[in-house]
Coordinates of all heavy atoms in Angstrom, one line a residue:
R17 N 113.3 131.9 -41.4 CA 112.9 132.6 -40.1 C 113.6 131.9 -38.9 O 113.7 132.5 -37.9 CB 111.4 132.5 -39.9 CG 110.6 133.2 -40.9 CD 109.1 133.1 -40.7 NE 108.3 133.8 -41.7 CZ 108.0 135.1 -41.6 NH1 108.4 135.8 -40.6 NH2 107.3 135.7 -42.5
H18 N 114.1 130.7 -39.2 CA 114.8 130.0 -38.1 C 116.2 129.5 -38.7 O 116.3 128.3 -38.9 CB 114.0 128.8 -37.6 CG 112.6 129.2 -37.0 ND1 112.5 129.5 -35.7 CD2 111.4 129.3 -37.6 CE1 111.2 129.9 -35.5 NE2 110.6 129.8 -36.7
P19 N 117.1 130.4 -38.8 CA 118.4 130.0 -39.4 C 119.2 129.0 -38.6 O 120.2 128.4 -39.1 CB 119.1 131.3 -39.6 CG 118.5 132.2 -38.6 CD 117.1 131.8 -38.5
D20 N 118.8 128.8 -37.3 CA 119.5 127.9 -36.5 C 119.2 126.4 -36.8 O 119.9 125.5 -36.4 CB 119.2 128.1 -35.0 CG 117.7 128.1 -34.8 OD1 117.0 128.8 -35.5 OD2 117.3 127.4 -33.8
L21 N 118.1 126.2 -37.6 CA 117.7 124.8 -37.9 C 118.5 124.4 -39.2 O 118.6 125.2 -40.1 CB 116.2 124.8 -38.2 CG 115.3 125.1 -37.0 CD1 113.9 125.0 -37.3 CD2 115.6 124.2 -35.8
T22 N 118.9 123.2 -39.2 CA 119.6 122.6 -40.4 C 118.7 121.6 -41.1 O 118.4 120.5 -40.5 CB 120.9 121.9 -39.9 OG1 121.7 122.9 -39.2 CG2 121.7 121.4 -41.1
P23 N 118.4 121.8 -42.3 CA 117.5 120.9 -43.0 C 118.3 119.6 -43.4 O 119.5 119.7 -43.6 CB 117.0 121.7 -44.2 CG 118.1 122.7 -44.5 CD 118.6 123.1 -43.1
D24 N 117.6 118.5 -43.6 CA 118.2 117.3 -44.1 C 118.6 117.5 -45.5 O 117.7 117.8 -46.3 CB 117.2 116.1 -43.9 CG 117.8 114.8 -44.2 OD1 118.8 114.7 -45.0 OD2 117.2 113.8 -43.8
P25 N 119.8 117.3 -45.9 CA 120.2 117.5 -47.3 C 119.6 116.5 -48.3 O 119.5 116.8 -49.5 CB 121.7 117.4 -47.3 CG 122.0 116.6 -46.1 CD 121.0 117.0 -45.1
S26 N 119.1 115.4 -47.8 CA 118.6 114.4 -48.7 C 117.1 114.5 -48.9 O 116.5 113.9 -49.8 CB 118.9 112.9 -48.1 OG 118.3 112.7 -46.9
V27 N 116.4 115.2 -48.0 CA 115.0 115.4 -48.1 C 114.7 116.9 -48.1 O 114.9 117.6 -47.1 CB 114.2 114.7 -46.9 CG1 112.7 114.9 -47.1 CG2 114.6 113.2 -46.8
L28 N 114.2 117.3 -49.2 CA 113.8 118.7 -49.3 C 112.3 118.9 -49.0 O 111.5 118.3 -49.6 CB 114.0 119.2 -50.7 CG 113.5 120.6 -51.1 CD1 114.3 121.7 -50.3 CD2 113.6 120.9 -52.6
V29 N 112.0 119.6 -47.9 CA 110.7 119.8 -47.5 C 110.3 121.3 -47.7 O 111.0 122.2 -47.2 CB 110.5 119.5 -46.0 CG1 109.0 119.7 -45.6 CG2 110.9 118.0 -45.7
V30 N 109.3 121.5 -48.5 CA 108.9 122.9 -48.9 C 107.4 123.1 -48.6 O 106.6 122.1 -48.7 CB 109.2 123.2 -50.4 CG1 110.7 123.1 -50.6 CG2 108.5 122.2 -51.3
R31 N 107.1 124.3 -48.4 CA 105.7 124.7 -48.2 C 105.4 125.9 -49.1 O 106.0 126.9 -49.0 CB 105.5 125.1 -46.7 CG 104.0 125.5 -46.4 CD 103.8 125.8 -45.0 NE 104.6 127.0 -44.5 CZ 105.3 127.0 -43.4 NH1 105.3 126.0 -42.6 NH2 106.0 128.1 -43.1
V32 N 104.3 125.7 -49.9 CA 103.9 126.8 -50.8 C 102.8 127.6 -50.0 O 101.7 127.0 -49.7 CB 103.3 126.3 -52.1 CG1 102.9 127.5 -53.0 CG2 104.4 125.5 -52.8
E33 N 103.1 128.8 -49.7 CA 102.1 129.6 -48.9 C 101.1 130.3 -49.7 O 101.0 131.5 -49.8 CB 102.9 130.6 -48.0 CG 103.9 129.8 -47.0 CD 104.7 130.7 -46.1 OE1 104.7 132.0 -46.4 OE2 105.3 130.2 -45.2
S34 N 100.3 129.5 -50.4 CA 99.3 130.0 -51.3 C 98.6 128.8 -51.9 O 99.0 127.7 -51.9 CB 100.0 130.8 -52.5 OG 99.1 131.1 -53.5
G35 N 97.4 129.1 -52.5 CA 96.7 128.1 -53.3 C 97.5 127.9 -54.5 O 98.4 128.7 -54.9
L36 N 97.3 126.7 -55.1 CA 98.0 126.3 -56.3 C 97.1 126.4 -57.5 O 96.1 125.7 -57.6 CB 98.6 124.9 -56.2 CG 99.7 124.7 -55.1 CD1 100.0 123.3 -54.9 CD2 101.0 125.4 -55.5
F37 N 97.4 127.3 -58.5 CA 96.6 127.4 -59.6 C 97.4 127.8 -60.8 O 98.6 127.9 -60.8 CB 95.4 128.4 -59.4 CG 95.9 129.8 -59.1 CD1 95.7 130.8 -60.0 CD2 96.6 130.1 -57.9 CE1 96.1 132.1 -59.7 CE2 97.0 131.4 -57.6 CZ 96.7 132.4 -58.6
F38 N 96.8 128.0 -62.0 CA 97.4 128.2 -63.2 C 98.5 129.3 -63.2 O 99.5 129.2 -63.9 CB 96.4 128.4 -64.3 CG 95.7 129.7 -64.2 CD1 96.1 130.9 -64.8 CD2 94.5 129.8 -63.5 CE1 95.4 132.0 -64.7 CE2 93.8 130.9 -63.4 CZ 94.2 132.1 -64.0
A39 N 98.2 130.4 -62.5 CA 99.1 131.5 -62.5 C 100.4 131.3 -61.8 O 101.4 132.0 -62.1 CB 98.4 132.8 -61.9
N40 N 100.4 130.4 -60.8 CA 101.7 130.3 -60.0 C 102.3 128.9 -60.2 O 103.3 128.6 -59.6 CB 101.5 130.6 -58.6 CG 100.5 129.7 -57.9 OD1 100.2 128.6 -58.3 ND2 99.9 130.2 -56.8
A41 N 101.6 128.0 -60.9 CA 102.1 126.6 -60.9 C 103.5 126.4 -61.5 O 104.3 125.7 -61.0 CB 101.1 125.7 -61.7
D42 N 103.7 127.1 -62.6 CA 105.1 127.0 -63.2 C 106.1 127.6 -62.3 O 107.3 127.1 -62.3 CB 105.1 127.7 -64.6 CG 104.3 126.9 -65.7 OD1 104.3 125.6 -65.5 OD2 103.8 127.5 -66.6
H43 N 105.8 128.7 -61.6 CA 106.8 129.3 -60.7 C 107.1 128.3 -59.6 O 108.3 128.1 -59.2 CB 106.2 130.6 -60.1 CG 107.0 131.1 -59.0 ND1 108.2 131.7 -59.2 CD2 106.8 131.2 -57.7 CE1 108.7 132.2 -58.0 NE2 107.8 131.8 -57.1
V44 N 106.1 127.6 -59.1 CA 106.3 126.6 -58.0 C 107.2 125.5 -58.5 O 108.2 125.1 -57.9 CB 105.0 126.1 -57.5 CG1 105.2 124.9 -56.5 CG2 104.2 127.2 -56.8
R45 N 106.9 125.0 -59.7 CA 107.7 123.9 -60.3 C 109.1 124.3 -60.5 O 110.0 123.6 -60.1 CB 107.1 123.5 -61.6 CG 107.8 122.5 -62.4 CD 107.3 122.3 -63.8 NE 108.0 121.4 -64.6 CZ 107.9 121.3 -65.9 NH1 107.0 122.0 -66.6 NH2 108.6 120.4 -66.6
A46 N 109.4 125.5 -61.0 CA 110.7 126.0 -61.3 C 111.5 126.2 -60.0 O 112.7 125.8 -59.8 CB 110.7 127.2 -62.1
T47 N 110.8 126.7 -59.0 CA 111.5 127.0 -57.7 C 111.8 125.7 -57.0 O 112.9 125.6 -56.4 CB 110.5 127.9 -56.8 OG1 110.2 129.1 -57.5 CG2 111.2 128.2 -55.5
V48 N 110.9 124.8 -56.9 CA 111.2 123.5 -56.3 C 112.4 122.8 -57.0 O 113.3 122.3 -56.3 CB 110.0 122.6 -56.3 CG1 110.3 121.2 -55.7 CG2 108.9 123.2 -55.4
R49 N 112.4 122.8 -58.3 CA 113.5 122.2 -59.0 C 114.8 122.9 -58.7 O 115.9 122.2 -58.6 CB 113.2 122.2 -60.5 CG 112.1 121.3 -61.0 CD 111.8 121.5 -62.4 NE 113.0 121.3 -63.3 CZ 113.0 121.4 -64.6 NH1 111.8 121.7 -65.2 NH2 114.0 121.2 -65.3
G50 N 114.8 124.2 -58.6 CA 116.0 125.0 -58.3 C 116.5 124.7 -56.9 O 117.7 124.9 -56.6
L51 N 115.6 124.4 -56.0 CA 116.1 124.1 -54.6 C 116.7 122.7 -54.4 O 117.4 122.5 -53.4 CB 114.9 124.2 -53.6 CG 114.3 125.6 -53.4 CD1 113.1 125.6 -52.5 CD2 115.4 126.5 -52.7
C52 N 116.5 121.9 -55.4 CA 117.1 120.5 -55.3 C 118.6 120.6 -55.5 O 119.1 121.4 -56.3 CB 116.5 119.6 -56.3 SG 114.7 119.2 -56.0
T53 N 119.3 119.8 -54.8 CA 120.8 119.7 -54.9 C 121.1 118.3 -55.3 O 120.3 117.4 -55.3 CB 121.5 120.0 -53.6 OG1 121.1 119.0 -52.6 CG2 121.0 121.4 -53.1
P54 N 122.4 118.0 -55.7 CA 122.8 116.6 -56.0 C 122.5 115.6 -54.9 O 122.4 114.4 -55.2 CB 124.3 116.8 -56.3 CG 124.4 118.2 -56.8 CD 123.5 119.0 -56.0
S55 N 122.5 116.1 -53.7 CA 122.2 115.1 -52.6 C 120.8 114.9 -52.3 O 120.4 114.0 -51.5 CB 123.0 115.6 -51.3 OG 122.5 116.9 -50.9
T56 N 119.9 115.6 -53.0 CA 118.5 115.5 -52.7 C 118.0 114.2 -53.3 O 118.2 113.9 -54.5 CB 117.7 116.7 -53.3 OG1 118.2 117.9 -52.8 CG2 116.2 116.5 -53.0
R57 N 117.3 113.4 -52.4 CA 116.7 112.1 -52.9 C 115.2 112.1 -52.8 O 114.5 111.2 -53.3 CB 117.3 111.0 -52.0 CG 118.7 110.7 -52.3 CD 118.9 110.2 -53.7 NE 120.3 110.0 -54.1 CZ 121.1 110.9 -54.7 NH1 120.5 112.1 -55.1 NH2 122.3 110.7 -55.0
A58 N 114.6 113.1 -52.1 CA 113.1 113.2 -52.1 C 112.7 114.6 -51.8 O 113.5 115.4 -51.2 CB 112.6 112.3 -50.9
V59 N 111.5 115.0 -52.3 CA 110.9 116.3 -52.1 C 109.5 116.0 -51.5 O 108.7 115.3 -52.0 CB 110.8 117.1 -53.4 CG1 110.0 118.4 -53.1 CG2 112.2 117.4 -54.0
V60 N 109.3 116.7 -50.3 CA 108.0 116.7 -49.7 C 107.4 118.0 -49.8 O 107.9 119.0 -49.4 CB 108.1 116.3 -48.2 CG1 106.7 116.3 -47.6 CG2 108.7 114.9 -48.1
L61 N 106.2 118.1 -50.5 CA 105.5 119.3 -50.6 C 104.4 119.4 -49.5 O 103.4 118.7 -49.6 CB 104.9 119.4 -52.0 CG 104.0 120.7 -52.3 CD1 104.9 121.9 -52.2 CD2 103.4 120.6 -53.7
D62 N 104.6 120.3 -48.5 CA 103.6 120.4 -47.5 C 102.5 121.3 -48.0 O 102.6 122.5 -48.3 CB 104.3 121.1 -46.3 CG 103.3 121.3 -45.1 OD1 102.2 120.8 -45.2 OD2 103.7 121.9 -44.1

């Protein structure tokens, strides 16, 4: 929604806009792993 902002490549900050439960947990795990790049050193889950 704010393409003018540049995220820190070393820190991936993500927000899951839903409760976390059995039906979406694996999707969240796979998506977060897919967003990581070789320069990522930390992931913050808001």
Side-chain angles (χ1 to χ4, degrees):
R17 297 179 180 275
H18 300 272
D20 55 310
L21 300 179
T22 303
D24 186 340
S26 64
V27 181
L28 173 65
V29 182
V30 294
R31 180 177 64 222
V32 181
E33 298 181 348
S34 166
L36 294 169
F37 63 111
F38 66 92
N40 63 24
D42 286 332
H43 171 72
V44 171
R45 176 189 178 193
T47 302
V48 172
R49 289 174 58 181
L51 289 174
C52 292
T53 66
S55 60
T56 301
R57 291 295 176 263
V59 174
V60 177
L61 179 63
D62 183 1

